[in-house]
Amino acid sequence: MRQNLAHTLMFTARTSTDGVIERDFVLGDIPGVLWSPASGPERAPLVFMGHGGGTHKRWPAMTGRARLLVTCCGFHVAVVDAPGHGDRPRTAYDEQEIAALYRAREAGEPEGPIVVRYNARLAERAVPEWKAALDALQELPEIGTGGPVGFFGLNMATAIGVPFVADDPRITAAVFGLHWPDALAEDAGRITIPVEYAMQWDDEHIPRAAALALFDAFASKEKTLHANSGRHKELPRFESDSAARFLARHLRPTAVREV
Amino acid sequence: MRQNLAHTLMFTARTSTDGVIERDFVLGDIPGVLWSPASGPERAPLVFMGHGGGTHKRWPAMTGRARLLVTCCGFHVAVVDAPGHGDRPRTAYDEQEIAALYRAREAGEPEGPIVVRYNARLAERAVPEWKAALDALQELPEIGTGGPVGFFGLNMATAIGVPFVADDPRITAAVFGLHWPDALAEDAGRITIPVEYAMQWDDEHIPRAAALALFDAFASKEKTLHANSGRHKELPRFESDSAARFLARHLRPTAVREV
């Protein structure tokens, strides 16, 4: 089901605050945001991010992480709305799965089976879009082709990100987290780039053994698991700082020593 | 078996390099090193460190971590030789256990049961020494009483550190790692301060489930597990940076934002 995807980014708005340029863009009918350093070298690495289920490209976690990555490390950071999310229409299938999720939540039944199934279907739609977006972003002179590209996406963005990264050799380091192994372990076994993986030790949705199994599945020689006490939505803020350092270490290996 | 421990540190040597003052001291017959910032505020937090089995107070991992903690965070950092280690004599029992460890190693038998047993006995001897060392260090005006104290010790220093921290309310944040739960889980269950715990995902000595069980045993509301791919001795260098940031976050909560 390869879609007929647009090839060129069109910028539709531009603001600049505190050293960060923020540009809205569309790639055909897919809206996205690109954050960039207001000053710096001609060309800098890109971090491609994804948002979680039920949120969108400008969710506070996205804007916060983007600003962090731009200001700490001079990266470009891009995110697009996932299918059925943000400014994009939902299909009848999207509505049906979202309704099923709410029913499970209200009935106190496990959300996992629905999230795993729905996210796997979303990934089939989103992976070609993300590849097209990466193609188009690399045509910008300030990003360019051939440079290192990082990925940072938790929750639903891990469900899309694992098959995306497994299939796209342009990604050279990836931060994932907070998902189940069921639909992802096989693709994770094809990923060999450095990975940082976040899980919650007391996650009420993802069983501990399931989270550990997905981390175990990555074929990467260099991989790090960060497990924090707390429930599904209680991932500590300092894990964003950790992700930024991880991406800096791998995308800018010659940069100054951290700490 | 409360020993008759000395109460006062005697400094025996002092050097200063690259902004770090390094002072040798003895507390009775226990030798140690105190690293301090060459300049800074009148008083600063202390990080008490422990060295691993078969090493000593001036092992490269100790001097490297100490310099990192002084230069990144302005901490004082102290370490003493464990019983039977460094400049301290071995007892007949020490010799016997070390011989047993070498025999197991040569025969390709598991080292765990010997390390667990020997380290538990060493902890009985070392914990009162560490408490006495902390008493004496807090009498120095540049450290003082009542300020935050961190702990950082892996391997054997976790075997000593877990009962030490469980019993000493002066420690307010601790970095542990690389040990078995057998002799430690009960004491870990009495620890409620923030903990960062390091394990190796492919540890050839400590089974994965054993490492996870020790992390699980800490009663801390805030705890983080860092699991890295690699064997027992392959803990990545960046985990020292992470430990420094963890200690900075908890011992200097008002300091500038990290990254």
Side-chain angles (χ1 to χ4, degrees):
Chain A
M1 52 165 278
R2 182 82 192 189
Q3 294 140 293
N4 191 8
L5 289 161
H7 293 298
T8 308
L9 287 189
M10 300 266 291
F11 288 109
T12 56
R14 182 187 194 279
T15 58
S16 180
T17 333
D18 298 334
V20 180
I21 298 169
E22 182 173 331
R23 285 175 287 179
D24 290 9
F25 66 80
V26 289
L27 181 73
D29 55 2
I30 304 165
V33 187
L34 177 63
W35 291 270
S36 302
S39 62
E42 252 174 59
R43 196 167 270 206
L46 171 70
V47 176
F48 196 93
M49 294 201 309
H51 62 78
T55 75
H56 56 75
K57 61 187 177 308
R58 232 183 260 289
W59 200 249
M62 294 297 102
T63 56
R65 287 172 198 164
R67 288 201 158 263
L68 174 66
L69 290 163
V70 172
T71 55
C72 79
C73 317
F75 295 143
H76 300 279
V77 182
V79 60
V80 297
D81 277 335
H85 285 73
D87 297 325
R88 303 183 63 187
R90 290 179 182 168
T91 64
Y93 171 73
D94 292 329
E95 299 287 5
Q96 173 190 319
E97 290 291 39
I98 292 161
L101 185 61
Y102 285 150
R103 276 198 306 277
R105 204 169 280 174
E106 273 166 36
E109 285 163 11
E111 301 179 11
I114 300 160
V115 174
V116 166
R117 174 183 74 207
Y118 180 38
N119 284 2
R121 289 285 293 277
L122 282 176
E124 288 172 15
R125 292 150 69 188
V127 168
E129 297 177 356
W130 287 14
K131 285 174 161 289
L134 184 47
D135 292 344
L137 287 159
Q138 287 194 318
E139 281 175 22
L140 299 174
E142 64 268 40
I143 295 173
T145 56
V149 180
F151 177 80
F152 184 2
L154 312 177
N155 294 297
M156 185 182 78
T158 280
I160 304 171
V162 166
F164 171 58
V165 170
D167 276 341
D168 201 316
R170 292 175 291 184
I171 314 288
T172 54
V175 180
F176 298 117
L178 300 170
H179 222 278
W180 291 258
D182 309 57
L184 300 178
E186 197 178 320
D187 283 332
R190 298 191 292 123
I191 291 177
T192 56
I193 58 168
V195 163
E196 184 164 290
Y197 193 90
M199 68 173 279
Q200 288 293 93
W201 196 244
D202 311 296
D203 196 309
E204 70 276 27
H205 298 304
I206 307 172
R208 200 176 284 174
L212 294 171
L214 179 50
F215 173 69
D216 196 41
F218 289 99
S220 311
K221 189 166 169 281
E222 279 186 70
K223 59 180 178 178
T224 304
L225 172 75
H226 286 185
N228 284 285
S229 53
R231 289 158 64 87
H232 187 71
K233 294 210 169 172
E234 294 177 340
L235 184 76
R237 183 73 62 93
F238 58 72
E239 287 298 344
S240 292
D241 300 330
S242 176
R245 283 188 300 269
F246 167 82
L247 291 166
R249 200 160 64 231
H250 292 289
L251 306 183
R252 284 195 177 284
T254 56
V256 287
R257 178 185 169 73
E258 323 149 36
V259 175
Chain B
M1 54 166 276
R2 184 81 195 188
Q3 293 141 297
N4 191 6
L5 290 160
H7 294 297
T8 308
L9 288 189
M10 300 266 292
F11 288 110
T12 57
R14 182 186 195 281
T15 60
S16 180
T17 333
D18 298 334
V20 180
I21 297 168
E22 182 173 332
R23 285 177 284 180
D24 291 9
F25 65 78
V26 289
L27 181 74
D29 56 2
I30 304 166
V33 186
L34 176 63
W35 290 270
S36 301
S39 63
E42 251 176 58
R43 196 167 270 205
L46 171 70
V47 175
F48 197 93
M49 294 202 305
H51 62 77
T55 76
H56 57 74
K57 62 187 177 306
R58 231 183 261 286
W59 200 250
M62 294 298 102
T63 56
R65 288 172 197 165
R67 286 199 160 267
L68 173 65
L69 290 165
V70 172
T71 55
C72 79
C73 317
F75 295 144
H76 299 279
V77 182
V79 60
V80 298
D81 277 335
H85 284 73
D87 297 325
R88 302 182 64 186
R90 289 179 181 168
T91 63
Y93 171 73
D94 291 329
E95 298 287 5
Q96 174 190 319
E97 290 289 40
I98 292 160
L101 184 62
Y102 285 150
R103 274 198 308 276
R105 203 169 281 174
E106 275 167 35
E109 286 163 8
E111 301 179 9
I114 300 159
V115 174
V116 167
R117 172 184 75 206
Y118 180 37
N119 283 2
R121 288 286 293 276
L122 281 175
E124 289 172 13
R125 291 150 71 187
V127 168
E129 297 178 357
W130 286 13
K131 286 176 160 287
L134 184 46
D135 292 344
L137 287 159
Q138 287 194 317
E139 281 175 22
L140 299 174
E142 63 269 39
I143 295 174
T145 55
V149 179
F151 177 80
F152 184 2
L154 311 178
N155 294 298
M156 184 181 79
T158 280
I160 303 172
V162 167
F164 171 58
V165 170
D167 276 341
D168 200 316
R170 292 175 291 184
I171 313 288
T172 53
V175 180
F176 297 117
L178 301 170
H179 222 281
W180 292 257
D182 309 56
L184 300 179
E186 196 179 320
D187 283 332
R190 297 192 291 123
I191 291 176
T192 56
I193 59 169
V195 163
E196 183 164 291
Y197 193 91
M199 68 173 280
Q200 287 295 92
W201 197 244
D202 312 295
D203 197 308
E204 70 277 26
H205 299 305
I206 306 173
R208 200 175 282 174
L212 294 172
L214 179 49
F215 173 68
D216 195 41
F218 289 99
S220 311
K221 187 165 170 281
E222 278 187 70
K223 58 180 179 178
T224 304
L225 173 74
H226 285 186
N228 284 285
S229 53
R231 289 160 62 88
H232 186 71
K233 294 208 168 169
E234 293 177 342
L235 184 76
R237 183 72 63 92
F238 59 71
E239 287 298 345
S240 293
D241 299 329
S242 175
R245 283 188 300 269
F246 166 83
L247 291 166
R249 200 160 64 231
H250 291 289
L251 307 183
R252 284 194 177 286
T254 56
V256 286
R257 180 184 168 76
E258 323 150 36
V259 177

